[in-house]
Amino acid sequence: MTPPRQDPPSATPPTPPIPLAALLALPDLGLRQVAGPSAAERDVRVQWVHTSEMEDPFPYLLGGELLLTAGVHFASAEGAGAYLDRYVARTVEAGASALGFGLAPVHDETPAALLAACDRHGLPLVEVPPRTPFTAVARAVWQAMGEARVRELWHVTEAQQALAAAAARPDPVPSVLRRLAGRLGAWAALIAADGSEVYAAGAAPDPGARAAAVRLARVVRPAPDAHRPSSATDSHAGTRLSAYALAGGAPSERPALVLATGRPDPGDHAVANVAAVLLSLLTGPHLGSAEAGRSAALVRLLLGAPPEEAAPLLGPGSRWAVVHARRRGGPAGPLAAAALGTALGTALVEPGDAVVRLLLPAGREVTAQPGWTLGVSGPVAVAALVTGDAQAAAALRRAIGTRAPLTVHRGAGPGMTALVTPDDARASAEELLAPVKDSPALVETLRTWIGLHGSWDRTAVALEVHRNTVRQRIGRAAALLEADLDDPDVRMELWFALRWL
């Protein structure tokens, strides 16, 4: 693996280089490669055309040139081996892409020593026929570059439109990554500060390339005491790696966008920069620890503080929905929680490894999100946010138990419960459930099991325990309550009590 390269302001022209093989394919020029590695197999690309008859071209080359010469300064073919070997070595040292040798008027054929030197030093040697002036070669290169530039601009423009459309989807962060991976034929991932994969799209690279990508992400992550570049590149076993810094939030918490591609096309860097800007806008406002702390504190206030304290923050008469979300396949970090909040259109997010809690205005549609299981409360007033929190938790348990991506609490209306005052209902619940209320595991298992109609398997899935554990807990609860849990009347009474405990 080569050391990561920090991408400085480029000295290359604004037009993309063109393949040398494309020049060789132009019939009007009649160019022919006669020595050196194959232009097609090595993907040799030309950035400039330069004509020189200097004995040492090194000081006059920038790198990437097709250097054209008629060999005016060459000695005769006899005994020119050492001179031509040094000439080719210096040309390679200067970074030229290829050497073009013009036949006539000086030489009728390409010197054998020049052929041998180009083969020895790995420099493609192109023979220019007498009928083709060097200016025609230069004109063909600039014309091809212009056409490539137009194609690149179309590529970038279409990619920008596609990425913008992806950012407007209900799941903007994974949508942008999927669209970026598809456009570039790459693996695209957001790598968190701890090296974990927050979101990824496209065919994953081999473990070695992925480890190199994680290391490259650290190169562009800002540090308090050091300036870091906004992008960097590396390679691993033929895979090109790129990393882009995302803006927003505390430096130590910012993720990085990393890409792994086979052979990048012109314009890919510009497309990746567009994606990095969009991802910064989608995730940046929620990344800082101070911002996350304020958001979490506000949610805790709204879900537990006295309503008279929270109501002024939300507006009089407003109604809200509480969402509980669990990420499938692993814990949800702050970035994933922030991205979920963006997708649902709310900044009121409380991150959590097991469950993420969100608050959003009632009436706003909550849709299923890829990679998440959601439980949504019914619309509740500020004074009933605690009730909404309990509804969302129950809805999430049902969603997990039934393997549904989204479950919304559907209240049956006041019904018979309206005939009992809250104080009486709470007192009755505490008396009935007194034998088990000091055991949160038994209470939660009983609530989930009754809510899932006595299904052992669904309850086990919802609680992430073995079904035998569910059976043992239910048996223990039945013994402590001295109740027959197979009796529907008993279950109904317990369910009513559990709603108030």
Side-chain angles (χ1 to χ4, degrees):
M1 187 184 74
T2 59
R5 179 174 67 84
Q6 299 178 6
D7 294 338
S10 178
T12 58
T15 53
I18 64 167
L20 178 59
L23 281 179
L24 297 173
L26 295 176
D28 293 345
L29 296 181
L31 305 180
R32 183 171 67 97
Q33 183 173 352
V34 294
S38 168
E41 292 179 3
R42 284 271 297 269
D43 190 29
V44 178
R45 293 182 177 253
V46 175
Q47 291 181 333
W48 332 78
V49 176
H50 181 66
T51 301
S52 175
E53 299 299 339
M54 303 293 294
E55 293 185 3
D56 183 7
F58 184 92
Y60 307 98
L61 300 180
L62 295 174
E65 293 91 349
L66 169 59
L67 176 62
L68 299 176
T69 180
V72 173
H73 55 92
F74 290 2
S76 64
E78 297 293 334
Y83 172 83
L84 290 177
D85 186 83
R86 180 178 181 279
Y87 175 81
V88 171
R90 291 287 285 172
T91 302
V92 171
E93 187 180 354
S97 296
L99 178 64
F101 184 75
L103 298 177
V106 181
H107 299 272
D108 293 331
E109 61 181 15
T110 304
L114 183 61
L115 295 170
C118 287
D119 282 333
R120 187 161 45 250
H121 292 283
L123 179 67
L125 176 61
V126 175
E127 206 172 64
V128 183
R131 64 179 175 83
T132 303
F134 286 174
T135 54
V137 177
R139 182 176 58 197
V141 169
W142 303 132
Q143 182 177 352
M145 282 185 171
E147 294 171 352
R149 181 58 171 169
V150 172
R151 290 194 298 270
E152 178 186 327
L153 290 174
W154 273 110
H155 171 65
V156 173
T157 300
E158 290 179 346
Q160 287 177 333
Q161 294 172 346
L163 290 172
R169 290 177 57 85
D171 54 339
V173 174
S175 291
V176 169
L177 286 176
R178 286 194 299 268
R179 191 62 57 88
L180 179 64
R183 283 277 169 175
L184 304 188
W187 175 70
L190 280 186
I191 301 297
D194 61 359
S196 62
E197 233 175 69
V198 182
Y199 286 108
D206 64 76
R210 191 200 175 283
V214 172
R215 291 192 294 271
L216 190 64
R218 300 193 189 104
V219 174
V220 300
R221 182 169 291 111
D225 56 348
H227 171 72
R228 298 295 178 89
S230 60
S231 64
T233 58
D234 194 4
S235 61
H236 177 86
T239 299
R240 179 180 171 84
L241 305 172
S242 304
Y244 299 84
L246 299 191
S252 61
E253 298 177 355
R254 294 178 193 170
L257 169 64
V258 296
L259 300 172
T261 60
R263 178 183 296 175
D265 291 329
D268 284 0
H269 182 64
V271 173
N273 273 319
V274 172
V277 171
L278 285 173
L279 291 169
S280 296
L281 293 173
L282 292 171
T283 61
H286 307 285
L287 291 179
S289 57
E291 179 68 25
R294 286 193 295 268
S295 178
L298 179 58
V299 172
R300 289 193 178 99
L301 171 67
L302 297 176
L303 297 180
E308 59 271 15
E309 295 181 16
L313 298 173
L314 299 175
S318 59
R319 294 176 68 80
W320 296 80
V322 182
V323 178
H324 281 210
R326 179 176 291 182
R327 193 177 183 200
R328 297 193 290 271
L335 178 59
L340 178 63
T342 301
L344 297 180
T346 180
L348 301 179
V349 182
E350 181 186 6
D353 289 338
V355 175
V356 176
R357 299 199 297 179
L358 308 95
L359 196 62
L360 61 157
R364 180 176 297 171
E365 182 182 9
V366 178
T367 58
Q369 301 296 315
W372 293 89
T373 301
L374 305 181
V376 186
S377 75
V380 294
V382 175
L385 282 173
V386 174
T387 300
D389 190 41
Q391 292 177 359
L396 178 61
R397 288 193 298 269
R398 287 198 299 275
I400 295 172
T402 58
R403 292 182 170 86
L406 171 69
T407 297
V408 179
H409 174 81
R410 304 295 184 188
M416 297 293 294
T417 61
L419 301 177
V420 182
T421 66
D423 290 340
D424 289 343
R426 192 170 292 108
S428 176
E430 291 179 354
E431 180 181 357
L432 178 62
L433 297 171
V436 297
K437 71 175 184 178
D438 292 332
S439 174
L442 290 183
V443 172
E444 187 67 13
T445 302
L446 188 61
R447 179 186 286 114
T448 304
W449 182 74
I450 295 176
L452 292 173
H453 311 292
S455 171
W456 307 107
D457 292 330
R458 290 181 178 181
T459 304
V461 170
L463 298 178
E464 296 183 334
V465 297
H466 195 274
R467 68 194 306 270
N468 288 342
T469 301
V470 176
R471 287 183 176 274
Q472 291 168 3
R473 290 179 181 176
I474 295 300
R476 177 65 176 160
L480 291 173
L481 295 170
E482 299 180 351
D484 180 8
L485 298 185
D486 291 329
D487 187 332
D489 290 334
V490 173
R491 288 195 192 183
M492 180 182 65
E493 189 174 1
L494 287 173
W495 181 248
F496 178 84
L498 286 165
R499 294 176 62 185
W500 290 97
L501 186 62

